[in-house]
């Protein structure tokens, strides 16, 4: 992801450079399970997942949300702080999926003398299936002149 814009200059409907995560691995899923203490066998045990009708384990939805959070923080950089980060989950994600995080400026406004940028966010498989959609508000550190 190359940051080719300045937050102060973003405009409504402007699309931001996406970030593509490498294919999700079972090791990564296990590491996330340990970090989150979410050891649901649906995420870790292929046999269990197959018994309940899936092809195998699925990725924690919150791991996908973490990818989207990483994306937003890269956008914010040192220029802004994050508020009101939200995500709705969509399709299931499985090991091997690459996730593409993207965003666009929904609106800009001023609050307490500082510029705020409302973002619309999407996490999707490279195939185009949306696995999550959300929003975030960035509060710029610089005072509006």
């Amino acid at each position: 992801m190359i940051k080719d814009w300045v937050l102060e200059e973003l405009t409504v409907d402007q699309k931001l450079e996406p970030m593509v995560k490498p294919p999700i691995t079972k090791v990564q899923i296990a590491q996330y399970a340990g970090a989150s203490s979410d050891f649901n066998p649906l995420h870790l045990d292929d046999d269990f997942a197959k018994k309940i009708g899936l092809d195998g384990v699925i990725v924690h939805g919150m791991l996908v949300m973490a990818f989207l959070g990483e994306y937003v923080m890269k956008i914010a950089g040192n220029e802004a702080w994050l508020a009101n980060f939200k995500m709705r989950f969509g399709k299931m994600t499985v090991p091997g999926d690459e996730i593409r995080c993207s965003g666009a400026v929904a609106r800009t406004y001023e609050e307490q003398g500082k510029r705020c940028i409302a973002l619309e966010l999407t996490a999707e498989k490279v195939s185009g299936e949306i696995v999550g959609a959300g929003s975030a508000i960035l509060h710029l550190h610089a005072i509006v002149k």
Side-chain angles (χ1 to χ4, degrees):
M1 179 175 136
I2 299 170
K3 190 171 174 180
D4 59 354
W5 25 244
V6 175
L7 284 178
E8 286 184 24
E9 298 172 0
L10 292 179
T11 58
V12 175
D13 295 327
Q14 184 172 347
K15 295 191 183 336
L16 305 175
E17 183 71 27
M19 173 185 81
V20 179
K21 297 296 287 183
I24 300 168
T25 66
K26 287 188 176 183
V27 169
Q28 187 176 20
I29 295 168
Q31 289 171 329
Y32 183 82
S36 67
S37 297
D38 182 351
F39 297 102
N40 185 327
L42 178 63
H43 304 299
L44 301 168
D45 184 342
D46 280 320
D47 290 335
F48 175 84
K50 288 175 183 175
K51 284 180 186 172
I52 62 169
L54 299 172
D55 294 332
V57 298
I58 61 171
V59 175
H60 299 79
M62 293 301 288
L63 178 57
V64 174
M65 187 172 186
F67 294 160
L68 211 50
E70 175 188 359
Y71 175 66
V72 172
M73 293 311 296
K74 285 184 177 187
I75 293 168
N78 293 327
E79 299 174 63
W81 59 274
L82 172 63
N84 301 332
F85 176 47
K86 301 175 185 175
M87 185 179 129
R88 294 174 309 282
F89 300 101
K91 302 272 185 186
M92 286 186 279
T93 307
V94 298
D97 284 341
E98 292 179 45
I99 302 300
R100 178 182 182 267
C101 299
S102 60
V105 177
R107 67 186 179 103
T108 63
Y109 59 97
E110 189 177 321
E111 184 175 288
Q112 297 180 358
K114 294 194 177 187
R115 184 161 191 231
C116 300
I117 301 169
L119 301 174
E120 292 178 354
L121 306 166
T122 304
E124 62 186 334
K125 297 180 185 185
V126 292
S127 66
E129 290 179 283
I130 294 178
V131 296
S135 61
I137 308 266
L138 297 179
H139 293 259
L140 277 63
H141 297 307
I143 294 176
V144 176
K145 296 176 184 174

